[in-house]
Amino acid sequence: NVHLLRERQKTTFDIEKLTQFIYSDYFEVDARRKLSRQAYDHPIHDTHLPLEYLDSNDYYETLVRKSIIATDEAEKLGISDSKHLMWYLGAFTEERVAFSLHLRMFVPTIVMMATDEQYQQYLELAKKFKIIGTYCQTELGHGSDLRRLETIAVFEHSSDSFIIDTPTITATKFWPGYLGRTANYVILMAQLYTNGKNCGLQPFLVQIRDFNTHEPLPGIEVGEISGRLAHEAGDNGYLRLTNVRIPRNQMLMRLANVDRNGNFTRLGDSRLVYATMLTMRVSLCAYNAILLARATTIAIRYSAVRYQGQNDKGNEMQILDYPLQQDKLFPCLATSYAFICSFSRLNQIYENVMASKPDEILQQLPDIHSLSAGLKAMTSSISERMSQICRLSCGGHGYLISSGLVGIRLILDAGCTYEGDNSVLLQQTAKYLLKM
Amino acid sequence: YQQCENGEELISPTVAYLKETATIFSPISNISNLEYYCKIFELRARRLIKDMYTKLLEIAASTSQSPYETFLENSIELVHIARCHMETFIIRSFYDKIKVTSDSSVQNILNQLFELFAVYTLLQNQTYDFVKFTILSADTIELLKKRYQQLCTKIRPNAVGLVDAFDFHDKELNSVLGQYDGDVYEALLERARLNPSNKTKIHPAWNNNLLSLMKE
């Protein structure tokens, strides 16, 4: 397009140099480019209509099919680094990997919480997708306040097992991604009772579906929750368990242990239970920044192509030349850069903390927790508002799903409530500031 | 804040600004100095935290409210402070990152973006605090509004280059409006033709329902 070409000729700096600079640490430009190009080149992408034209079931089926092919291809290409794997799978599936929570929550939790024996038993199975898992914490009546979770796991001496139950309607596990139709295993957070005592929230590995038939196992009710504003492929599910029995060694026991006699021993700091959540929250800050950058890219390019109205010489004006359009879009542009840089710093702090000794990690945990909570809240709420500005700045065409802007805004909208409601997260930051 | 008051070492550099002592600025002459923007955001957050700290001490001394009740009662202000702290973090991170750029043309455009971000954030809805703490005067705010427009004009020629630098592949953007080649109208029409509703020239709803109505 001649207008875009002219715009590019006007640029006063070396674009590639800026790309390399802005993505210098976390994003590894060259590796990311190579991996995503490999993913986009696969012929599978030419075999279906754009996702917007598929109904819910076709949509889900297409994404599962693509996710399976993507994981096979990734193995063939020898992509083992977890960040690289997520980039490759994300590019392959339009960021709707049917196993994303398996990779980002289920596997890391096993790595962090399992004993050596459990690690040996489950990690390889999980890595090879012989089991597909998700992380079940939130309940129908309980969101951020984890102390109120009602699901119980009661130790039974006679059978050396736990009996897991969701005793009330509000205890129903609700919202976990990839739970509705995909997962056959879950890491389930439940209140542990042993020898008549409540020993707090602990993680349990629970099989929920038959490996051969994918039928829910006895005592398990599982399904997808109602339609959402977006996330058609998120497969968010609900789960009810009625006195489901699991062997004692399926409690993840690195941080706390229950022995054959039902004695409970704490082995590590329970705050580490939330480390997986922290990792997720840090990566969300990057995602929010990238989503805003995408929305801005779409709106600015289109504003360079689109002409409307007329100047006093009777010529149509390029939309991007209107101060009002600049007032809408340039703050979004500057904010995208600001968020990428802020994430970069957050990630640096996070990596430094995680590389420390365990007792130092615990000492620094409140700082990184407060920072990631606050930045997740700010990047999601501001990006959501700004992506809507980008959408509106494209006039009627911005309302089309094919503009890409509708989807971006809805993902950001969801981001304002998942992994912690933004008001609650900002209160966490405020508490930390008071302590400081 | 109490640690600062007692002269203790702070655990985290992200709240290091609490220890700063400078409070006086001569803003108009400082506008071209980018560090100035970091400083005024830090000063505002520091003042807000200090005021809240003092207020909470007074409440603790004069009432029997529990810390929980006090937190709840002040939660709207506290969340405002948390936002201001995060803005400070974002502004400082942005500035620290861009000041190490070695390429002068890249540095130049990043400086403009940084300043635009700072001025925009300042003008958005937070000016009240800056005025209340006399960090900014009404005249300075007027000056910043003009600066904002100047910055938009400066950034305008590089707008497309700046989004190209995000390096998004067309498949990643997945947008008929934002594709790299700019052939927007062709793409819009092509996508419309793919709509399954256009598979048949006459939609079944017409034959099933409307045709008989028309015959009547």
Side-chain angles (χ1 to χ4, degrees):
Chain A
N1 177 284
V2 66
H3 308 301
L4 264 188
L5 201 61
R6 207 169 49 231
E7 291 293 332
R8 288 184 175 123
Q9 284 160 352
K10 278 195 279 192
T11 306
T12 62
F13 61 92
D14 184 331
I15 292 174
E16 180 61 19
K17 273 188 187 158
L18 178 55
T19 305
Q20 293 288 350
F21 173 73
I22 203 77
Y23 291 149
S24 53
D25 21 44
Y26 178 81
F27 293 96
E28 303 173 45
V29 187
D30 298 328
R32 193 163 181 266
R33 248 182 217 155
K34 187 181 158 203
L35 288 164
S36 57
R37 299 314 184 260
Q38 282 174 323
Y40 295 140
D41 283 346
H42 197 278
I44 180 82
H45 306 303
D46 302 323
T47 62
H48 63 85
L49 281 170
L51 295 177
E52 67 184 275
Y53 293 138
L54 304 182
D55 68 26
S56 172
N57 285 331
D58 285 344
Y59 191 111
Y60 176 70
E61 197 173 331
T62 304
L63 292 175
V64 169
R65 188 158 48 98
K66 281 183 138 180
S67 300
I68 291 168
I69 295 172
T71 47
D72 283 349
E73 292 290 319
E75 201 180 336
K76 277 186 216 158
L77 292 167
I79 305 168
S80 54
D81 177 89
S82 62
K83 186 163 75 178
H84 291 183
L85 182 63
M86 283 316 295
W87 285 343
Y88 181 80
L89 297 180
F92 206 102
T93 59
E94 300 183 26
E95 282 161 16
R96 293 161 176 93
V97 192
F99 316 123
S100 68
L101 285 179
H102 173 84
L103 294 166
R104 298 176 79 153
M105 296 289 279
F106 188 77
V107 174
T109 307
I110 290 178
V111 171
M112 205 169 286
M113 306 286 173
T115 59
D116 291 345
E117 195 184 318
Q118 290 170 327
Y119 187 92
Q120 297 284 342
Q121 189 180 349
Y122 289 103
L123 194 70
E124 274 311 295
L125 290 173
K127 278 191 164 176
K128 289 182 175 160
F129 297 96
K130 301 295 173 198
I131 56 178
I132 299 169
T134 189
Y135 189 86
C136 282
Q137 181 171 283
T138 316
E139 294 177 357
L140 189 52
H142 313 282
S144 308
D145 190 359
L146 304 180
R147 290 165 304 178
R148 302 277 174 223
L149 295 181
E150 293 177 86
T151 301
I152 49 172
V154 181
F155 180 66
E156 188 184 62
H157 286 263
S158 58
S159 60
D160 194 23
S161 59
F162 294 105
I163 299 169
I164 302 189
D165 195 47
T166 42
T168 59
I169 289 287
T170 46
T172 307
K173 295 292 178 188
F174 208 82
W175 270 112
Y178 305 101
L179 171 66
R181 295 173 283 188
T182 311
N184 55 20
Y185 243 91
V186 296
I187 286 170
L188 185 100
M189 299 303 286
Q191 303 283 356
L192 167 67
Y193 285 86
T194 177
N195 292 337
K197 279 188 201 153
N198 180 344
C199 301
L201 211 56
Q202 303 297 336
F204 297 87
L205 271 166
V206 183
Q207 185 183 346
I208 57 168
R209 288 179 181 272
D210 184 274
F211 289 136
N212 297 315
T213 63
H214 206 56
E215 287 282 333
L217 294 176
I220 303 279
E221 181 190 344
V222 63
E224 203 186 357
I225 61 173
S226 88
R228 279 81 62 200
L229 199 54
H231 279 249
E232 301 88 335
D235 187 24
N236 302 84
Y238 73 90
L239 176 68
R240 289 193 55 75
L241 303 100
T242 310
N243 297 326
V244 172
R245 203 178 288 272
I246 59 164
R248 180 169 55 87
N249 65 9
Q250 282 184 221
M251 174 175 141
L252 291 175
M253 294 206 200
R254 177 181 281 187
L255 298 177
N257 174 293
V258 174
D259 68 18
R260 180 67 188 85
N261 296 320
N263 298 315
F264 176 78
T265 317
R266 200 173 284 289
L267 304 168
D269 195 297
S270 60
R271 284 174 291 176
L272 287 173
V273 171
Y274 309 116
T276 328
M277 197 66 89
L278 182 69
T279 312
M280 190 72 169
R281 215 170 264 159
V282 169
S283 68
L284 277 177
C285 296
Y287 191 42
N288 294 337
I290 290 294
L291 286 169
L292 177 60
R294 282 184 198 159
T296 307
T297 303
I298 294 167
I300 286 187
R301 282 190 185 153
Y302 179 49
S303 299
V305 169
R306 182 179 168 209
Y307 278 68
Q308 214 169 55
Q310 58 179 22
N311 60 18
D312 47 15
K313 289 177 191 153
N315 297 325
E316 264 193 315
M317 287 266 287
Q318 195 176 16
I319 297 289
L320 203 51
D321 279 336
Y322 284 102
L324 280 171
Q325 190 76 347
Q326 293 170 12
D327 180 44
K328 285 177 194 165
L329 297 180
F330 291 176
C332 302
L333 179 63
T335 306
S336 305
Y337 276 92
F339 283 174
I340 291 170
C341 294
S342 312
F343 162 72
S344 188
R345 183 161 173 222
L346 171 72
N347 191 54
Q348 229 166 34
I349 298 171
Y350 171 76
E351 284 183 352
N352 288 342
V353 170
M354 289 305 165
S356 321
K357 292 174 186 157
D359 54 330
E360 286 171 3
I361 293 181
L362 288 172
Q363 200 189 5
Q364 297 173 79
L365 214 54
D367 182 45
I368 185 76
H369 170 65
S370 132
L371 208 56
S372 62
L375 198 62
K376 180 263 171 182
M378 295 290 277
T379 53
S380 58
S381 59
I382 294 174
S383 299
E384 188 273 333
R385 180 169 56 79
M386 287 189 157
S387 65
Q388 171 72 346
I389 293 172
C390 290
R391 190 187 77 67
L392 294 172
S393 78
C394 292
H397 293 334
Y399 198 65
L400 294 169
I401 293 174
S402 59
S403 72
L405 291 164
V406 178
I408 290 173
R409 201 192 75 68
L410 289 177
I411 292 170
L412 285 163
D413 192 330
C416 292
T417 48
Y418 65 57
E419 298 300 328
D421 173 87
N422 283 350
S423 294
V424 176
L425 293 181
L426 285 168
Q427 287 187 78
Q428 303 286 334
T429 308
K431 276 182 186 166
Y432 173 75
L433 287 175
L434 286 183
K435 280 181 189 161
M436 280 289 109
Chain B
Y1 195 83
Q2 197 163 32
Q3 285 177 354
C4 289
E5 292 271 282
N6 298 340
E8 290 170 28
E9 207 45 46
L10 289 176
I11 297 168
S12 164
T14 60
V15 287
Y17 65 82
L18 291 175
K19 289 191 91 169
E20 289 263 334
T21 48
T23 51
I24 301 162
F25 289 90
S26 50
I28 293 175
S29 59
N30 270 332
I31 269 182
S32 55
N33 177 358
L34 299 183
E35 174 75 23
Y36 160 76
Y37 290 104
C38 297
K39 292 281 182 198
I40 61 170
F41 276 92
E42 286 168 354
L43 178 56
R44 176 191 56 163
R46 188 162 73 244
R47 291 294 304 272
L48 283 166
I49 293 170
K50 182 186 176 188
D51 284 4
M52 178 54 75
Y53 172 73
T54 312
K55 183 179 172 184
L56 296 186
L57 281 187
E58 279 168 14
I59 294 172
S62 61
T63 69
S64 56
Q65 261 189 353
S66 70
Y68 173 77
E69 285 168 335
T70 310
F71 189 86
L72 205 64
E73 198 175 281
N74 291 281
S75 58
I76 295 172
E77 268 179 88
L78 283 164
V79 162
H80 172 65
I81 293 172
R83 280 205 184 94
C84 295
H85 167 68
M86 291 314 301
E87 279 177 0
T88 302
F89 175 80
I90 293 167
I91 297 259
R92 174 56 76 185
S93 305
F94 195 1
Y95 181 61
D96 285 352
K97 168 109 183 173
I98 65 168
K99 74 180 176 192
V100 298
T101 332
S102 53
D103 185 281
S104 63
S105 60
V106 168
Q107 173 95 68
N108 194 31
I109 187 70
L110 284 173
N111 285 351
Q112 289 167 8
L113 279 176
F114 169 77
E115 200 179 346
L116 182 81
F117 177 71
V119 174
Y120 171 80
T121 308
L122 214 153
L123 293 176
Q124 254 322 74
N125 46 21
Q126 311 291 355
T127 41
Y128 172 74
D129 291 332
F130 290 97
V131 175
K132 185 176 80 173
F133 296 131
T134 59
I135 300 169
L136 296 177
S137 65
D139 288 346
T140 316
I141 290 169
E142 279 310 306
L143 201 74
L144 288 170
K145 282 183 182 167
K146 283 187 193 143
R147 185 73 184 147
Y148 173 77
Q149 288 184 343
Q150 287 168 357
L151 285 164
C152 282
T153 309
K154 276 187 176 179
I155 288 168
R156 167 65 189 89
N158 282 312
V160 170
L162 281 165
V163 296
D164 284 350
F166 290 134
D167 195 48
F168 295 129
H169 190 281
D170 275 350
K171 290 244 169 81
E172 182 175 357
L173 278 184
N174 195 13
S175 165
V176 288
L177 301 185
Q179 56 189 39
Y180 188 83
D181 65 11
D183 289 338
V184 169
Y185 300 112
E186 292 82 347
L188 276 163
L189 187 60
E190 192 186 330
R191 186 66 76 98
R193 284 178 175 145
L194 281 175
N195 192 327
S197 288
N198 298 325
K199 248 184 177 174
T200 53
K201 284 185 181 169
I202 302 163
H203 195 275
W206 178 265
N207 287 329
N208 296 343
N209 305 294
L210 290 167
L211 201 59
S212 55
L213 189 74
M214 297 299 279
K215 278 179 184 164
E216 279 171 28

